[in-house]
Amino acid sequence: MAFTSFNRTKPPSFKTNATLLATRVLKGRWFMLYACFLIMTSSGATYIFGIYSKDIKSSLNYNQQTLNTLSFFKDLGANVGILSGLINEITPPFVVLLLGSFMNLFGYLMIYFSITARLPRPAVWQMCLYICAGANSQSFANTGALVTAVKNFPASRGIVLGLLKCFVGLSGAIFTQLYLAFYGGDDSKSLVLLVAWLPAAVSLVFVYTVRIMEPPRGSGVGDSAKPFYYFLYLAVALGGYLLVVIVVEKVVSFSRAEMIANGAVVILLLVIPVAVVVKEEVNNLKQSMAFTEQRSSIDASCEEEANQRKTITDQQSIDGASSGEEETKIITEHKIISHIIEIFRPPARGEDYSILQALFSIDMLILFFSTICGVGGTLTAIDNMGQIGESLGYPSRSINTFVSLISIWNAMGRVAAGFISEILLTKYKFPRPLMLTVVLLLACSGHLLIAFGVPNSLYVASVIIGFCFGAQWPLLFAIISELFGLKYYSTLYNFGGVASPIGSYILNVRVAGYLYDREAERQSSGGGGKEVTCVGVKCFQLSFLIITAATVIGAIVSSVLAVRTRKFYKGDIYARFRKEAPEEAMERGSSADKLGERRIDEGEIIREMDFTVR
């Protein structure tokens, strides 16, 4: 009997604890954030266009302006995400992720079949359609993963944006290393095949993991910053490793086995962040015991508050019954006029704007214009890096190095802008629009290095342009969320991205592509041949002088926004996400009734966790 009694009171086994912990990990906010990291890591295929663009150009016999037109449709698809934003407003994130995975698979598979002659040679408009559809999957992934993560961590949005955009920036270098591991690097056309199936597979694996989860109230940036810094260290470690590998590959040719081992290390570095997720969930599991102990006192105060509310509500319903009919009639008559007035009389900065209020806002127009100038110029440099290196006489291996450097420093720019702007804003009230101005001015130095073709300066220019291109995105999206609120962030986020293809079309297609072909024709006619490849500094000199001037104008305009919003950024813009209103505390206490039994059971297991987890 004594033995039987002992078995009845035996604490839960390690297996039970492990099962509970695994369940919490897979269903928790931090694993959801990790899933977003992986989705974003696989959604940056548009940034390696410079590697496989030469295959498209040679296989389909395109000139530079046609290739730049194709590049414009790539940028159009990658950044015009209004449709994905609107879909995300009315559906769960998994719908957006599923649609994006199918579009990615279709678009890039059709490109792969076209450049490998598995399909009849497509018309230019068909190739534009394919690459636009494939690239548009990036906006679906961004909307489904990034917007969801920001809403789940609203008080740490700058850090979250920086981290997620960092992984997008690293994706180009990651794709390159995985391509070498999977296919050996003999045929760069296989890179397009990898781009077709890998992002779709990752999205399908985590499609139900990414979802809106109510963030714990009262947790500000400082309270939850430590896990983000762990993720930052791991992201920097991944970027540092990729940078070392890129430098070594430039000097030494890897064998097939070394390529596979290198790919395995990259995958391992992508898996290590799971340890941060598990550690955070163990801490959360222990902390839930405190909630169980306080439950009784919260329930008592909650019941009293509920009774008071009920009395007030009943009295209001009695008082308002007589006048309800008349008020409804008046509201109906003035409904249309009031909506129009509301569009041009938006709420205070930081409150939830409607979509039209935000789009017609002067702040949005200023931000949109400066993004056209800044992102458009840096994106032109990135998309033409292969042709820039070729015109300046760099070998093919160096051109691949430039693309990888852009990818890594793109990632570093994103994470630096996210973390540094958050620290400066929190400690010194330094406005993000002013930091955007600084980034645009820094980008001008990279454009000038390309314009004047200083020997071996393209390595430095790649670093500057990659960093500045990456830094602009988290700043842009954080500013939008801070000025216009999170209620319609899915749509407003994607509207902000529309500035990129507009800038790309103006500066890439109409300026860089046109001037390149004009110089190529001049060189060809002078030599009497039919060669359409341009050689020399003159190929892109005038283009990047124009781009530099446009970027300076963008910096001036963004400084105007910094002046307009200086009072707003001097205040505590995240106060409502850190402070829990009393009524919200009561509502949360009432909801504990439904979770009481499960949390009490967890409380019993937590006591055993102190031994088993350690």
Side-chain angles (χ1 to χ4, degrees), residues 270-329:
L270 289 172
V271 174
I272 287 178
V274 173
V276 179
V277 175
V278 174
K279 181 178 182 298
E280 192 64 21
E281 288 301 335
V282 168
N283 293 336
N284 291 342
L285 191 60
K286 292 178 179 179
Q287 290 171 3
S288 67
M289 188 175 181
F291 176 85
T292 304
E293 294 173 354
Q294 297 172 1
R295 178 172 172 267
S296 57
S297 60
I298 295 176
D299 283 347
S301 59
C302 192
E303 183 178 354
E304 182 181 350
E305 178 68 17
N307 291 333
Q308 292 177 0
R309 283 188 189 174
K310 186 175 184 301
T311 304
I312 295 172
T313 304
D314 292 343
Q315 184 62 38
Q316 288 176 343
S317 61
I318 294 171
D319 295 340
S322 58
S323 58
E325 236 177 80
E326 184 178 350
E327 290 180 0
T328 302
K329 185 177 180 181

Short mmCIF file of all heavy atoms in Angstrom, two decimals, residues 270-329:
data_model
loop_
_atom_site.label_atom_id
_atom_site.label_comp_id
_atom_site.label_asym_id
_atom_site.label_seq_id
_atom_site.Cartn_x
_atom_site.Cartn_y
_atom_site.Cartn_z
N LEU A 270 21.96 28.45 -38.95
CA LEU A 270 20.56 28.84 -39.03
C LEU A 270 19.69 28.10 -38.01
O LEU A 270 18.60 28.57 -37.68
CB LEU A 270 20.02 28.58 -40.45
CG LEU A 270 20.55 29.49 -41.56
CD1 LEU A 270 20.09 28.99 -42.92
CD2 LEU A 270 20.09 30.93 -41.33
N VAL A 271 20.17 26.96 -37.53
CA VAL A 271 19.40 26.16 -36.57
C VAL A 271 19.70 26.56 -35.13
O VAL A 271 18.84 26.45 -34.24
CB VAL A 271 19.68 24.66 -36.78
CG1 VAL A 271 19.02 23.81 -35.70
CG2 VAL A 271 19.19 24.21 -38.16
N ILE A 272 20.90 27.07 -34.87
CA ILE A 272 21.33 27.39 -33.50
C ILE A 272 20.35 28.32 -32.77
O ILE A 272 20.14 28.17 -31.56
CB ILE A 272 22.75 27.97 -33.52
CG1 ILE A 272 23.76 26.86 -33.80
CG2 ILE A 272 23.09 28.65 -32.20
CD1 ILE A 272 25.19 27.32 -33.89
N PRO A 273 19.72 29.32 -33.43
CA PRO A 273 18.79 30.19 -32.69
C PRO A 273 17.66 29.47 -31.97
O PRO A 273 17.02 30.06 -31.09
CB PRO A 273 18.24 31.12 -33.78
CG PRO A 273 19.33 31.19 -34.79
CD PRO A 273 19.94 29.82 -34.80
N VAL A 274 17.40 28.20 -32.31
CA VAL A 274 16.38 27.45 -31.58
C VAL A 274 16.73 27.37 -30.10
O VAL A 274 15.83 27.33 -29.24
CB VAL A 274 16.23 26.04 -32.19
CG1 VAL A 274 15.29 25.18 -31.35
CG2 VAL A 274 15.70 26.13 -33.62
N ALA A 275 18.02 27.37 -29.77
CA ALA A 275 18.43 27.31 -28.36
C ALA A 275 17.94 28.54 -27.60
O ALA A 275 17.53 28.45 -26.44
CB ALA A 275 19.95 27.21 -28.27
N VAL A 276 17.96 29.71 -28.25
CA VAL A 276 17.43 30.92 -27.62
C VAL A 276 15.93 30.79 -27.39
O VAL A 276 15.41 31.19 -26.34
CB VAL A 276 17.73 32.15 -28.52
CG1 VAL A 276 17.17 33.42 -27.87
CG2 VAL A 276 19.22 32.29 -28.75
N VAL A 277 15.24 30.21 -28.36
CA VAL A 277 13.78 30.00 -28.24
C VAL A 277 13.48 29.11 -27.03
O VAL A 277 12.61 29.43 -26.21
CB VAL A 277 13.22 29.39 -29.53
CG1 VAL A 277 11.75 29.06 -29.37
CG2 VAL A 277 13.44 30.34 -30.71
N VAL A 278 14.19 27.99 -26.91
CA VAL A 278 13.95 27.06 -25.81
C VAL A 278 14.25 27.72 -24.47
O VAL A 278 13.46 27.60 -23.51
CB VAL A 278 14.81 25.78 -25.98
CG1 VAL A 278 14.67 24.87 -24.78
CG2 VAL A 278 14.40 25.05 -27.26
N LYS A 279 15.35 28.45 -24.39
CA LYS A 279 15.72 29.11 -23.13
C LYS A 279 14.64 30.10 -22.71
O LYS A 279 14.26 30.16 -21.53
CB LYS A 279 17.05 29.84 -23.32
CG LYS A 279 17.55 30.56 -22.07
CD LYS A 279 18.88 31.21 -22.34
CE LYS A 279 19.43 31.89 -21.08
NZ LYS A 279 18.56 32.97 -20.59
N GLU A 280 14.11 30.87 -23.65
CA GLU A 280 13.10 31.86 -23.32
C GLU A 280 11.80 31.20 -22.87
O GLU A 280 11.14 31.67 -21.95
CB GLU A 280 12.85 32.77 -24.53
CG GLU A 280 12.04 34.00 -24.23
CD GLU A 280 12.73 34.94 -23.26
OE1 GLU A 280 13.97 34.86 -23.13
OE2 GLU A 280 12.02 35.75 -22.62
N GLU A 281 11.44 30.10 -23.51
CA GLU A 281 10.20 29.42 -23.12
C GLU A 281 10.33 28.75 -21.75
O GLU A 281 9.36 28.67 -21.00
CB GLU A 281 9.82 28.38 -24.18
CG GLU A 281 9.31 28.97 -25.48
CD GLU A 281 8.08 29.84 -25.29
OE1 GLU A 281 7.34 29.64 -24.30
OE2 GLU A 281 7.85 30.73 -26.13
N VAL A 282 11.52 28.26 -21.40
CA VAL A 282 11.74 27.72 -20.06
C VAL A 282 11.52 28.82 -19.02
O VAL A 282 10.86 28.62 -17.99
CB VAL A 282 13.16 27.12 -19.94
CG1 VAL A 282 13.49 26.82 -18.48
CG2 VAL A 282 13.27 25.87 -20.77
N ASN A 283 12.05 30.01 -19.28
CA ASN A 283 11.85 31.13 -18.36
C ASN A 283 10.38 31.50 -18.25
O ASN A 283 9.87 31.77 -17.16
CB ASN A 283 12.66 32.34 -18.83
CG ASN A 283 14.15 32.12 -18.73
OD1 ASN A 283 14.60 31.29 -17.93
ND2 ASN A 283 14.92 32.83 -19.53
N ASN A 284 9.68 31.51 -19.39
CA ASN A 284 8.25 31.84 -19.37
C ASN A 284 7.45 30.81 -18.60
O ASN A 284 6.48 31.14 -17.91
CB ASN A 284 7.72 31.94 -20.80
CG ASN A 284 8.27 33.14 -21.54
OD1 ASN A 284 8.77 34.08 -20.91
ND2 ASN A 284 8.18 33.13 -22.86
N LEU A 285 7.85 29.54 -18.72
CA LEU A 285 7.14 28.48 -18.03
C LEU A 285 7.29 28.64 -16.52
O LEU A 285 6.33 28.45 -15.76
CB LEU A 285 7.69 27.13 -18.47
CG LEU A 285 6.90 25.88 -18.05
CD1 LEU A 285 5.50 25.92 -18.61
CD2 LEU A 285 7.62 24.64 -18.52
N LYS A 286 8.48 29.04 -16.07
CA LYS A 286 8.69 29.25 -14.64
C LYS A 286 7.91 30.47 -14.15
O LYS A 286 7.34 30.48 -13.05
CB LYS A 286 10.18 29.44 -14.36
CG LYS A 286 11.00 28.18 -14.58
CD LYS A 286 12.48 28.45 -14.32
CE LYS A 286 13.31 27.20 -14.53
NZ LYS A 286 14.75 27.43 -14.32
N GLN A 287 7.86 31.52 -14.97
CA GLN A 287 7.17 32.74 -14.57
C GLN A 287 5.66 32.56 -14.47
O GLN A 287 4.99 33.30 -13.75
CB GLN A 287 7.50 33.87 -15.55
CG GLN A 287 8.93 34.36 -15.45
CD GLN A 287 9.29 35.32 -16.56
OE1 GLN A 287 8.45 35.67 -17.38
NE2 GLN A 287 10.54 35.75 -16.57
N SER A 288 5.11 31.61 -15.22
CA SER A 288 3.67 31.40 -15.17
C SER A 288 3.20 30.94 -13.80
O SER A 288 2.02 31.05 -13.46
CB SER A 288 3.24 30.39 -16.24
OG SER A 288 3.75 29.11 -15.93
N MET A 289 4.11 30.43 -12.98
CA MET A 289 3.76 30.03 -11.62
C MET A 289 3.35 31.25 -10.80
O MET A 289 2.44 31.18 -9.97
CB MET A 289 4.95 29.32 -10.98
CG MET A 289 4.65 28.70 -9.63
SD MET A 289 6.04 27.75 -8.99
CE MET A 289 5.32 27.17 -7.45
N ALA A 290 4.04 32.37 -11.04
CA ALA A 290 3.69 33.60 -10.32
C ALA A 290 2.28 34.05 -10.68
O ALA A 290 1.54 34.54 -9.83
CB ALA A 290 4.69 34.70 -10.65
N PHE A 291 1.91 33.85 -11.93
CA PHE A 291 0.55 34.21 -12.35
C PHE A 291 -0.48 33.37 -11.62
O PHE A 291 -1.53 33.86 -11.20
CB PHE A 291 0.42 34.00 -13.87
CG PHE A 291 -0.97 34.24 -14.39
CD1 PHE A 291 -1.39 35.52 -14.72
CD2 PHE A 291 -1.85 33.19 -14.53
CE1 PHE A 291 -2.66 35.73 -15.20
CE2 PHE A 291 -3.13 33.40 -15.01
CZ PHE A 291 -3.54 34.68 -15.34
N THR A 292 -0.19 32.09 -11.43
CA THR A 292 -1.12 31.20 -10.73
C THR A 292 -1.32 31.64 -9.29
O THR A 292 -2.43 31.62 -8.76
CB THR A 292 -0.59 29.76 -10.77
OG1 THR A 292 -0.39 29.39 -12.13
CG2 THR A 292 -1.57 28.80 -10.13
N GLU A 293 -0.24 32.07 -8.63
CA GLU A 293 -0.33 32.49 -7.23
C GLU A 293 -1.13 33.77 -7.07
O GLU A 293 -1.78 33.98 -6.05
CB GLU A 293 1.08 32.68 -6.66
CG GLU A 293 1.88 31.38 -6.57
CD GLU A 293 3.32 31.62 -6.17
OE1 GLU A 293 3.71 32.81 -6.08
OE2 GLU A 293 4.05 30.64 -5.96
N GLN A 294 -1.09 34.66 -8.07
CA GLN A 294 -1.80 35.93 -7.98
C GLN A 294 -3.22 35.85 -8.50
O GLN A 294 -3.97 36.82 -8.42
CB GLN A 294 -1.04 37.01 -8.77
CG GLN A 294 0.34 37.27 -8.22
CD GLN A 294 1.13 38.21 -9.14
OE1 GLN A 294 0.62 38.65 -10.16
NE2 GLN A 294 2.37 38.47 -8.77
N ARG A 295 -3.60 34.71 -8.99
CA ARG A 295 -4.89 34.58 -9.68
C ARG A 295 -6.07 34.89 -8.77
O ARG A 295 -7.03 35.54 -9.18
CB ARG A 295 -5.01 33.16 -10.23
CG ARG A 295 -6.32 32.86 -10.92
CD ARG A 295 -6.26 31.50 -11.58
NE ARG A 295 -7.55 31.13 -12.08
CZ ARG A 295 -8.45 30.41 -11.42
NH1 ARG A 295 -8.16 30.01 -10.19
NH2 ARG A 295 -9.62 30.13 -11.94
N SER A 296 -6.03 34.44 -7.53
CA SER A 296 -7.17 34.61 -6.65
C SER A 296 -7.47 36.08 -6.37
O SER A 296 -8.62 36.51 -6.40
CB SER A 296 -6.93 33.86 -5.33
OG SER A 296 -5.74 34.33 -4.73
N SER A 297 -6.40 36.88 -6.11
CA SER A 297 -6.61 38.29 -5.82
C SER A 297 -7.11 39.04 -7.06
O SER A 297 -7.97 39.93 -6.96
CB SER A 297 -5.32 38.93 -5.33
OG SER A 297 -4.31 38.81 -6.31
N ILE A 298 -6.62 38.67 -8.23
CA ILE A 298 -7.07 39.32 -9.47
C ILE A 298 -8.53 39.00 -9.73
O ILE A 298 -9.32 39.86 -10.14
CB ILE A 298 -6.20 38.88 -10.65
CG1 ILE A 298 -4.76 39.38 -10.47
CG2 ILE A 298 -6.75 39.38 -11.97
CD1 ILE A 298 -3.82 38.91 -11.55
N ASP A 299 -8.92 37.73 -9.49
CA ASP A 299 -10.31 37.33 -9.73
C ASP A 299 -11.27 38.14 -8.88
O ASP A 299 -12.34 38.54 -9.32
CB ASP A 299 -10.48 35.84 -9.44
CG ASP A 299 -9.93 34.97 -10.55
OD1 ASP A 299 -9.65 35.54 -11.63
OD2 ASP A 299 -9.77 33.76 -10.35
N ALA A 300 -10.88 38.39 -7.60
CA ALA A 300 -11.77 39.11 -6.70
C ALA A 300 -11.98 40.54 -7.19
O ALA A 300 -13.12 41.03 -7.28
CB ALA A 300 -11.19 39.11 -5.29
N SER A 301 -10.88 41.23 -7.52
CA SER A 301 -11.01 42.61 -7.99
C SER A 301 -11.71 42.67 -9.34
O SER A 301 -12.44 43.61 -9.64
CB SER A 301 -9.63 43.26 -8.09
OG SER A 301 -8.81 42.53 -8.96
N CYS A 302 -11.49 41.63 -10.14
CA CYS A 302 -12.12 41.59 -11.47
C CYS A 302 -13.63 41.45 -11.36
O CYS A 302 -14.38 42.07 -12.12
CB CYS A 302 -11.53 40.43 -12.27
SG CYS A 302 -11.93 40.46 -13.99
N GLU A 303 -14.09 40.65 -10.41
CA GLU A 303 -15.53 40.44 -10.24
C GLU A 303 -16.20 41.74 -9.82
O GLU A 303 -17.27 42.11 -10.30
CB GLU A 303 -15.77 39.35 -9.20
CG GLU A 303 -17.24 39.02 -9.01
CD GLU A 303 -17.44 37.90 -8.00
OE1 GLU A 303 -16.42 37.33 -7.55
OE2 GLU A 303 -18.59 37.63 -7.67
N GLU A 304 -15.54 42.46 -8.90
CA GLU A 304 -16.09 43.74 -8.44
C GLU A 304 -16.17 44.74 -9.58
O GLU A 304 -17.16 45.45 -9.76
CB GLU A 304 -15.22 44.29 -7.31
CG GLU A 304 -15.74 45.60 -6.73
CD GLU A 304 -14.83 46.12 -5.64
OE1 GLU A 304 -13.92 45.36 -5.22
OE2 GLU A 304 -15.03 47.26 -5.19
N GLU A 305 -15.11 44.80 -10.38
CA GLU A 305 -15.09 45.72 -11.52
C GLU A 305 -16.16 45.36 -12.54
O GLU A 305 -16.81 46.23 -13.13
CB GLU A 305 -13.71 45.69 -12.18
CG GLU A 305 -13.56 46.56 -13.41
CD GLU A 305 -13.63 48.03 -13.07
OE1 GLU A 305 -13.47 48.38 -11.89
OE2 GLU A 305 -13.86 48.83 -14.00
N ALA A 306 -16.36 44.07 -12.76
CA ALA A 306 -17.37 43.63 -13.72
C ALA A 306 -18.78 44.03 -13.27
O ALA A 306 -19.62 44.44 -14.08
CB ALA A 306 -17.29 42.11 -13.91
N ASN A 307 -19.04 43.93 -11.97
CA ASN A 307 -20.36 44.33 -11.46
C ASN A 307 -20.59 45.81 -11.65
O ASN A 307 -21.69 46.26 -12.02
CB ASN A 307 -20.46 43.97 -9.97
CG ASN A 307 -20.52 42.46 -9.76
OD1 ASN A 307 -20.96 41.73 -10.65
ND2 ASN A 307 -20.07 41.98 -8.59
N GLN A 308 -19.53 46.63 -11.38
CA GLN A 308 -19.67 48.08 -11.58
C GLN A 308 -19.93 48.41 -13.05
O GLN A 308 -20.76 49.26 -13.36
CB GLN A 308 -18.39 48.77 -11.10
CG GLN A 308 -18.18 48.69 -9.60
CD GLN A 308 -16.86 49.32 -9.19
OE1 GLN A 308 -16.11 49.81 -10.03
NE2 GLN A 308 -16.58 49.29 -7.88
N ARG A 309 -19.22 47.73 -13.92
CA ARG A 309 -19.43 47.98 -15.35
C ARG A 309 -20.84 47.64 -15.79
O ARG A 309 -21.45 48.34 -16.59
CB ARG A 309 -18.44 47.14 -16.17
CG ARG A 309 -17.04 47.69 -16.20
CD ARG A 309 -16.25 46.91 -17.18
NE ARG A 309 -14.85 47.23 -17.11
CZ ARG A 309 -13.93 46.59 -17.80
NH1 ARG A 309 -14.27 45.59 -18.56
NH2 ARG A 309 -12.68 46.95 -17.73
N LYS A 310 -21.33 46.52 -15.28
CA LYS A 310 -22.66 46.06 -15.66
C LYS A 310 -23.71 47.10 -15.25
O LYS A 310 -24.63 47.43 -15.99
CB LYS A 310 -22.97 44.72 -15.03
CG LYS A 310 -24.28 44.09 -15.48
CD LYS A 310 -24.44 42.71 -14.88
CE LYS A 310 -25.72 42.05 -15.42
NZ LYS A 310 -26.92 42.84 -15.11
N THR A 311 -23.55 47.66 -14.02
CA THR A 311 -24.49 48.67 -13.54
C THR A 311 -24.46 49.91 -14.43
O THR A 311 -25.50 50.44 -14.83
CB THR A 311 -24.15 49.06 -12.09
OG1 THR A 311 -24.15 47.89 -11.29
CG2 THR A 311 -25.16 50.06 -11.55
N ILE A 312 -23.24 50.35 -14.77
CA ILE A 312 -23.11 51.54 -15.62
C ILE A 312 -23.69 51.29 -17.00
O ILE A 312 -24.40 52.12 -17.57
CB ILE A 312 -21.63 51.95 -15.72
CG1 ILE A 312 -21.13 52.38 -14.34
CG2 ILE A 312 -21.43 53.07 -16.73
CD1 ILE A 312 -19.64 52.62 -14.29
N THR A 313 -23.41 50.11 -17.57
CA THR A 313 -23.90 49.79 -18.91
C THR A 313 -25.42 49.73 -18.95
O THR A 313 -26.07 50.22 -19.88
CB THR A 313 -23.31 48.44 -19.37
OG1 THR A 313 -21.89 48.51 -19.31
CG2 THR A 313 -23.74 48.12 -20.79
N ASP A 314 -26.02 49.11 -17.92
CA ASP A 314 -27.48 49.02 -17.88
C ASP A 314 -28.11 50.40 -17.82
O ASP A 314 -29.10 50.69 -18.49
CB ASP A 314 -27.92 48.19 -16.66
CG ASP A 314 -27.54 46.73 -16.80
OD1 ASP A 314 -27.25 46.32 -17.94
OD2 ASP A 314 -27.53 46.01 -15.78
N GLN A 315 -27.50 51.30 -17.00
CA GLN A 315 -28.06 52.64 -16.87
C GLN A 315 -27.94 53.40 -18.20
O GLN A 315 -28.85 54.11 -18.62
CB GLN A 315 -27.31 53.40 -15.77
CG GLN A 315 -27.86 54.80 -15.48
CD GLN A 315 -29.30 54.75 -14.98
OE1 GLN A 315 -29.66 53.86 -14.23
NE2 GLN A 315 -30.12 55.69 -15.43
N GLN A 316 -26.80 53.23 -18.88
CA GLN A 316 -26.60 53.92 -20.15
C GLN A 316 -27.56 53.43 -21.21
O GLN A 316 -28.07 54.20 -22.02
CB GLN A 316 -25.16 53.72 -20.63
CG GLN A 316 -24.14 54.48 -19.81
CD GLN A 316 -22.72 54.20 -20.24
OE1 GLN A 316 -22.48 53.21 -20.94
NE2 GLN A 316 -21.79 55.05 -19.83
N SER A 317 -27.85 52.12 -21.21
CA SER A 317 -28.78 51.58 -22.21
C SER A 317 -30.19 52.09 -21.98
O SER A 317 -30.93 52.35 -22.93
CB SER A 317 -28.76 50.05 -22.17
OG SER A 317 -29.17 49.59 -20.89
N ILE A 318 -30.57 52.31 -20.69
CA ILE A 318 -31.91 52.84 -20.40
C ILE A 318 -32.00 54.30 -20.83
O ILE A 318 -32.97 54.74 -21.46
CB ILE A 318 -32.22 52.70 -18.89
CG1 ILE A 318 -32.32 51.22 -18.52
CG2 ILE A 318 -33.50 53.43 -18.53
CD1 ILE A 318 -32.41 50.97 -17.03
N ASP A 319 -30.94 55.08 -20.50
CA ASP A 319 -30.96 56.51 -20.83
C ASP A 319 -30.92 56.74 -22.34
O ASP A 319 -31.49 57.71 -22.83
CB ASP A 319 -29.75 57.21 -20.19
CG ASP A 319 -29.84 57.19 -18.67
OD1 ASP A 319 -30.96 57.00 -18.16
OD2 ASP A 319 -28.79 57.36 -18.01
N GLY A 320 -30.20 55.84 -23.05
CA GLY A 320 -30.04 56.07 -24.49
C GLY A 320 -31.12 55.49 -25.35
O GLY A 320 -31.13 55.72 -26.57
N ALA A 321 -32.03 54.72 -24.79
CA ALA A 321 -33.05 54.07 -25.62
C ALA A 321 -33.97 55.06 -26.30
O ALA A 321 -34.35 54.91 -27.45
CB ALA A 321 -33.86 53.10 -24.76
N SER A 322 -34.33 56.13 -25.56
CA SER A 322 -35.31 57.08 -26.09
C SER A 322 -34.74 57.93 -27.22
O SER A 322 -35.44 58.28 -28.17
CB SER A 322 -35.80 58.00 -24.96
OG SER A 322 -34.69 58.66 -24.39
N SER A 323 -33.45 58.27 -27.09
CA SER A 323 -32.86 59.16 -28.10
C SER A 323 -32.13 58.42 -29.21
O SER A 323 -31.61 59.04 -30.12
CB SER A 323 -31.88 60.11 -27.41
OG SER A 323 -30.88 59.37 -26.76
N GLY A 324 -32.08 57.09 -29.16
CA GLY A 324 -31.32 56.31 -30.13
C GLY A 324 -31.80 56.46 -31.56
O GLY A 324 -31.02 56.58 -32.48
N GLU A 325 -33.13 56.46 -31.73
CA GLU A 325 -33.70 56.54 -33.08
C GLU A 325 -33.33 57.83 -33.78
O GLU A 325 -32.91 57.86 -34.93
CB GLU A 325 -35.24 56.43 -32.99
CG GLU A 325 -35.79 55.29 -33.83
CD GLU A 325 -37.29 55.20 -33.65
OE1 GLU A 325 -37.98 55.99 -34.28
OE2 GLU A 325 -37.72 54.36 -32.87
N GLU A 326 -33.45 58.93 -33.05
CA GLU A 326 -33.18 60.24 -33.63
C GLU A 326 -31.71 60.41 -33.98
O GLU A 326 -31.35 60.92 -35.03
CB GLU A 326 -33.62 61.33 -32.64
CG GLU A 326 -33.48 62.75 -33.20
CD GLU A 326 -33.97 63.78 -32.19
OE1 GLU A 326 -34.56 63.38 -31.17
OE2 GLU A 326 -33.73 64.96 -32.43
N GLU A 327 -30.82 59.93 -33.10
CA GLU A 327 -29.39 60.04 -33.35
C GLU A 327 -28.96 59.22 -34.55
O GLU A 327 -28.12 59.63 -35.34
CB GLU A 327 -28.61 59.59 -32.10
CG GLU A 327 -28.73 60.54 -30.94
CD GLU A 327 -27.96 60.05 -29.73
OE1 GLU A 327 -27.36 58.97 -29.85
OE2 GLU A 327 -27.96 60.74 -28.71
N THR A 328 -29.54 58.03 -34.73
CA THR A 328 -29.21 57.18 -35.87
C THR A 328 -29.53 57.88 -37.18
O THR A 328 -28.77 57.81 -38.15
CB THR A 328 -29.99 55.86 -35.78
OG1 THR A 328 -29.67 55.23 -34.55
CG2 THR A 328 -29.63 54.95 -36.94
N LYS A 329 -30.65 58.57 -37.22
CA LYS A 329 -31.06 59.27 -38.43
C LYS A 329 -30.08 60.39 -38.78
O LYS A 329 -29.67 60.57 -39.93
CB LYS A 329 -32.46 59.84 -38.25
CG LYS A 329 -33.03 60.48 -39.50
CD LYS A 329 -34.45 60.95 -39.25
CE LYS A 329 -35.02 61.60 -40.51
NZ LYS A 329 -36.39 62.09 -40.30
#
